[in-house]
């Protein structure tokens, strides 16, 4: 039996984020949060492995106070327990800080054989935390995984690399980052939702991790964060028969180099 | 079945009726589970929102004050607009008394209010499971003893169906059949964002004040009408109409709505706004006649829209208040009942005590007026013609008023129709 820790990020739901059409500023005031979509695949994969061979699955997140809401959601998806590092620093953390904090939490929790992360976060998609976490812990990382299994004390994983695949094996402990295509996350059932509130949750304060102040200083600076608006040409071909309109459209597209 | 899987009450639906019930039951230390199909409470509804606060106060005194954050504007202007193409008559009743200590009514956005209310119930200890659809009830020896959601079965002493106008649970329990098309209206609504200042200027209201407007003559003769409510920084605009008649006339919902939006009486109010939400929903339209003969079975009660509790008087539309009151009535009945079989009769008694059924009885005849076909087109047109006559000054010698008015009336209806409609109208009220 392996101890599987699955990391997830509590992110703003992009559907609720509004872009101010004038200055492209983001309005997140009404945005609800959710478990990062790709991390749902990570949780599902951990739970599937458990259902297949019987392992222990723990959910791990680093988030602000609001991330408390995420625990019930995460646990309803199958992990047996959850660990939550609660600190306002999470709001400003980059991948460097997050990896340090998660590594600190893992060391504190102790037993970890397989750490599963989503390939990237649904908000930033930097694809950094998984590999960085492995580096901090000094263990292997297997990225771009679209298939995995646990055999004894090893992980066997298939990596999707452009037009080929690579199958790799690594001994515990190991970090695996999974692609969304690896599975289809379940919709928790009523009993799973109800059961989630009875599962144990450990809340850890950042101060208890014994990290250096430098470990919590972000390496990247966000200079600006803006919405992206596609400028449309708003051309309507009104005159002439259908054939003529299509011909005009095609000619125009060809001229623009779109065809 | 293990003890821990059995609840005192399972409530299906986290709308106002379901949450009012859950809130009071949880306060009374009952073990309550609310199951909601939407991802969050309030995410599956479209009500164009007005809340009469008496109902919140009936759930618990002082609740309106506590809810203020989740409410929009205090309604101080009640408007009725009769439209005919580019003409319109608006009656505007302004009453600052409606603001009072506890204002009579607030406009609300249900997504905001329901989420707030659900959080209160949760804080009292109710368990709320979202994103889950209940598929069926579980029956044993003629009693409802639980619900089925997918593979899962969950048991309770009492199941409360608060699952809305198209209540699957009421149907499964045999308390109501399929909804006949004429018993409901289809509502479509947009939320159009506007800066608060713009709203206050356009509608002539103060910073916390709002408008509720109903419109007639905007549904191309189909039974129905338009509504508009001003929220803090948006306007809820929509139309409700008979799907049966619309289908017969071959009218498309979005076309009727678009015409309403672009009409000269409405467009200046919403111009430059940004539409941020669009939704459609069914609304119970039959008043007391749409209420099933039986509202309970052993182990089951119906509340809110699921019980058909809705009042449409043409100039006032009520539903949320009745939902809150019925949810509270169910909770009171459950708390007071010594055994499960007492709950249903106690609920009926509470509905009377809390004046819900008497309220509905008092206006039971209104659907008859609202099915008069001429209400929705002929009379608004006629009224506009009268005003056009009154206010037209073009240098020509005006027709004598009595003659002109008779002429306008005759243009639209026969005397027989007019007398008939008047008689039916009076009888209905």
């Amino acid at each position: 039996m392996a101890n599987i820790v699955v990391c997830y990020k509590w992110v703003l739901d992009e559907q609720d984020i509004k872009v101010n059409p004038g200055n492209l500023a983001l309005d997140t005031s009404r945005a609800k949060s959710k478990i990062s979509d790709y991390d749902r695949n990570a949780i599902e994969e951990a739970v599937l492995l458990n259902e297949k061979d019987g392992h222990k699955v723990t959910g791990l997140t680093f988030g602000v106070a609001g991330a408390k809401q995420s625990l019930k959601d995460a646990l309803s998806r199958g992990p047996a327990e959850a660990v939550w590092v609660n600190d306002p620093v999470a709001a400003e953390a980059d991948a460097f800080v997050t990896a340090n904090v998660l590594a600190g939490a893992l060391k504190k929790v102790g037993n970890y054989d397989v750490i599963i992360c989503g390939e990237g976060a649904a908000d930033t998609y930097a694809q950094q935390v998984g590999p960085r976490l492995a580096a901090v812990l000094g263990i292997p990382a297997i990225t771009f995984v679209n298939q995995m299994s646990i055999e004894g004390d090893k992980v066997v994983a298939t990596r999707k690399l452009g037009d080929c695949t690579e199958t790799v094996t690594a001994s515990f402990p190991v970090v695996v980052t999974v692609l969304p295509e690896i599975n289809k996350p379940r919709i928790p059932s009523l009993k799973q939702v109800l059961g989630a509130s009875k599962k144990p949750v450990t809340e850890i304060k950042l101060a208890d991790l014994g990290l250096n102040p430098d470990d919590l200083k972000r390496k990247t600076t966000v200079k600006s964060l803006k919405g992206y608006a596609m400028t449309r040409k708003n051309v309507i071909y009104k005159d002439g028969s259908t054939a003529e309109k299509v011909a005009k459209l095609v000619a125009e597209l060809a001229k623009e180099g779109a065809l | 079945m293990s003890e821990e899987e059995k609840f005192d009450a399972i409530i299906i639906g986290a709308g106002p009726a379901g949450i009012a019930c859950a809130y009071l039951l949880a306060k009374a230390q009952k073990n309550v589970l609310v199951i909601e199909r939407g991802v969050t409470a309030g995410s599956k509804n479209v009500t164009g929102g007005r809340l009469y606060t008496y109902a919140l106060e009936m759930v618990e005194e002082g609740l309106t004050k506590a809810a203020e954050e989740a409410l929009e504007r205090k309604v101080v202007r009640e408007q009725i607009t009769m439209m005919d193409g580019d003409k319109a008559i608006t009656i505007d009743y302004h009453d600052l008394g409606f603001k009072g200590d506890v204002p009579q009514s607030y406009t609300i956005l249900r997504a905001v209010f329901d989420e707030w209310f659900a959080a209160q119930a949760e804080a009292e200890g109710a368990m709320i499971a979202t994103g889950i659809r209940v598929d069926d009830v579980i029956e044993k020896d003629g009693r409802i003893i639980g619900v089925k959601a997918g593979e899962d079965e969950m048991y309770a002493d009492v199941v409360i169906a608060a699952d809305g106008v198209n209540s699957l649970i009421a149907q499964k329990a045999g308390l109501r059949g399929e909804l006949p098309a004429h018993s409901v209206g289809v509502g479509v609504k947009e939320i159009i964002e506007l800066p608060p200042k713009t709203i206050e200027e356009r509608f002539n209201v103060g910073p916390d004040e709002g408008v509720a407007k109903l419109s007639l003559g905007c549904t191309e003769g189909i039974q129905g009408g338009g509504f508009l409510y001003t929220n803090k920084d948006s306007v809820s605009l929509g139309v409700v109409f008979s799907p049966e008649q619309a289908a017969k006339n071959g009218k498309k919902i979005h076309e009727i709505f678009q015409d309403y939006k672009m009409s000269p009486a409405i467009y200046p109010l919403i111009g430059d706004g940004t539409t941020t939400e669009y939704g459609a929903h069914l609304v119970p339209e039959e008043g007391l006649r749409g209420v099933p003969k039986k509202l309970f079975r052993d182990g089951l009660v119906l509340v809110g829209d699921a019980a058909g509790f809705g009042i449409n008087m043409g100039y006032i539309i009520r539903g949320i208040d009745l939902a809150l009151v019925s949810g509270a009535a169910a909770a009171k009945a459950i708390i007071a009942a010594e055994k499960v079989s007492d709950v249903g009769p106690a609920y009926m008694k509470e509905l009377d005590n809390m004046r819900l059924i008497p309220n509905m009885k008092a206006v039971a005849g209104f659907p008859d007026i609202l099915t008069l076909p001429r209400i929705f087109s002929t009379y608004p047109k006629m009224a506009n013609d009268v005003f056009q006559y009154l206010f037209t000054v073009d240098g020509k010698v005006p027709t004598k008023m009595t003659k002109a008015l008779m002429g306008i009336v005759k243009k639209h209806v026969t005397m027989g129709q007019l007398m008939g409609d008047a008689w039916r109208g009076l009888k209905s009220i």
Side-chain angles (χ1 to χ4, degrees), chain A residues 10-20 25-35 37 40 69, chain B residues 39-40 43 111 115 193 276-277:
Chain A
W10 187 238
V11 298
L12 291 178
D13 191 333
E14 67 278 3
Q15 279 185 22
D16 301 336
I17 299 175
K18 282 187 209 142
V19 178
N20 181 318
L26 298 186
D27 175 9
T28 57
S29 58
R30 290 199 192 161
K32 294 199 177 72
S33 297
K34 61 172 183 182
I35 294 177
D37 302 55
R40 288 185 206 180
Q69 287 174 56
Chain B
V39 184
T40 55
S43 67
E115 206 177 356
E193 285 194 353
T276 54
E277 274 177 46

Side-chain angles (χ1 to χ4, degrees), chain A residues 18 21 27 30 32 69 72 187-195 197-198, chain B residues 4-5 7 33 35 40 115 122 127-129 132 149 152-154 193 233:
Chain A
K18 282 187 209 142
D27 175 9
R30 290 199 192 161
K32 294 199 177 72
Q69 287 174 56
K72 220 169 111 179
I187 294 165
S189 74
L190 179 57
K191 283 200 173 155
Q192 285 162 340
V193 170
L194 294 181
S197 44
K198 297 187 189 109
Chain B
E4 64 171 350
E5 276 167 357
F7 290 87
L33 168 65
I35 308 174
T40 55
E115 206 177 356
E122 221 168 1
M127 203 175 279
I128 299 179
I132 288 162
D152 292 344
E153 298 191 341
M154 214 47 84
E193 285 194 353
D233 57 2

Side-chain angles (χ1 to χ4, degrees), chain B residues 48-52 73-81 90-95 98 104-108 199 203-205 209-215 226-231 235-237 260 266 269 314-317:
Chain B
R50 154 164 16 195
L51 176 77
Y52 288 100
R73 288 172 181 267
K74 300 163 189 168
V75 177
V76 296
R77 284 186 186 277
E78 303 279 356
Q79 300 182 343
I80 301 172
T81 297
T90 295
I91 300 164
D92 177 12
Y93 177 63
H94 187 212
D95 188 342
F98 284 162
Q104 174 176 269
S105 71
Y106 278 89
T107 55
I108 61 169
I199 292 177
F203 291 91
N204 195 13
V205 288
E209 299 170 357
V211 175
K213 180 203 268 293
L214 293 173
S215 308
F227 60 83
L228 180 156
Y229 298 100
T230 56
N231 307 313
V235 167
S236 298
L237 182 78
Y260 177 53
I266 297 297
L269 300 172
Y315 61 96
I316 276 180
I317 297 170

Side-chain angles (χ1 to χ4, degrees), chain A:
Chain A
M1 189 192 86
N3 285 305
I4 305 177
V5 178
V6 57
C7 303
Y8 71 86
K9 184 175 183 183
W10 187 238
V11 298
L12 291 178
D13 191 333
E14 67 278 3
Q15 279 185 22
D16 301 336
I17 299 175
K18 282 187 209 142
V19 178
N20 181 318
N23 59 7
L24 298 182
L26 298 186
D27 175 9
T28 57
S29 58
R30 290 199 192 161
K32 294 199 177 72
S33 297
K34 61 172 183 182
I35 294 177
S36 169
D37 302 55
Y38 310 114
D39 293 345
R40 288 185 206 180
N41 296 100
I43 296 173
E44 180 68 20
E45 194 58 23
V47 174
L48 287 173
L49 289 168
N50 167 41
E51 284 167 359
K52 192 162 150 260
D53 311 316
H55 302 288
K56 186 180 173 216
V57 180
T58 305
L60 170 62
T61 191
F62 170 40
V64 296
K68 187 172 188 186
Q69 287 174 56
S70 74
L71 299 165
K72 220 169 111 179
D73 187 356
L75 289 170
S76 71
R77 296 168 188 277
E81 59 178 271
V83 177
W84 168 39
V85 184
N86 173 12
D87 200 280
V89 165
E92 302 294 322
D94 66 355
F96 170 75
V97 174
T98 304
N100 287 336
V101 171
L102 293 179
L106 283 163
K107 283 180 196 156
K108 193 171 169 67
V109 171
N111 293 333
Y112 54 88
D113 300 314
V114 183
I115 300 155
I116 306 180
C117 300
E119 190 56 44
D123 51 359
T124 55
Y125 207 74
Q127 297 175 280
Q128 297 257 323
V129 169
R132 279 182 179 277
L133 180 57
V136 176
L137 294 170
I139 60 174
I142 312 175
T143 54
F144 299 110
V145 170
N146 68 2
Q147 208 181 325
M148 71 181 284
S149 61
I150 291 175
E151 288 168 19
D153 61 352
K154 288 186 180 64
V155 166
V156 181
T158 305
R159 307 180 65 216
K160 191 181 169 199
L161 302 166
D163 54 0
C164 65
T165 59
E166 178 186 54
T167 302
V168 296
T169 305
S171 296
F172 294 170
V174 55
V175 171
V176 182
T177 62
V178 300
L179 294 169
E181 67 201 53
I182 194 165
N183 57 39
K184 190 171 175 284
R186 71 195 60 194
I187 294 165
S189 74
L190 179 57
K191 283 200 173 155
Q192 285 162 340
V193 170
L194 294 181
S197 44
K198 297 187 189 109
K199 290 180 180 175
V201 172
T202 312
E203 183 182 335
I204 301 178
K205 296 282 176 206
L206 200 50
D208 299 338
L209 293 182
L211 296 170
N212 291 323
D214 281 351
D215 295 338
L216 299 175
K217 228 178 264 164
R218 50 183 305 156
K219 294 267 186 190
T220 57
T221 344
V222 177
K223 296 187 90 169
S224 74
L225 188 60
K226 274 186 186 169
Y228 176 75
M230 192 146 55
T231 40
R232 294 173 187 276
K233 295 213 165 67
N234 292 321
V235 182
I236 299 174
Y237 298 94
K238 271 191 243 169
D239 305 326
S241 67
T242 309
E244 284 164 358
K245 285 187 268 189
V246 171
K248 269 190 210 160
L249 172 66
V250 172
E252 199 61 33
L253 288 172
K255 207 170 107 190
E256 303 246 333
L259 290 179

Side-chain angles (χ1 to χ4, degrees), chain B residues 352-380:
Chain B
D352 257 329
N353 286 345
M354 296 175 84
R355 302 186 296 275
L356 190 150
I357 297 289
N359 252 282
M360 290 197 67
K361 274 190 184 149
V363 294
F366 271 81
D368 285 339
I369 309 181
L370 299 173
T371 48
L372 291 176
R374 280 176 286 274
I375 291 267
F376 303 99
S377 173
T378 312
Y379 292 134

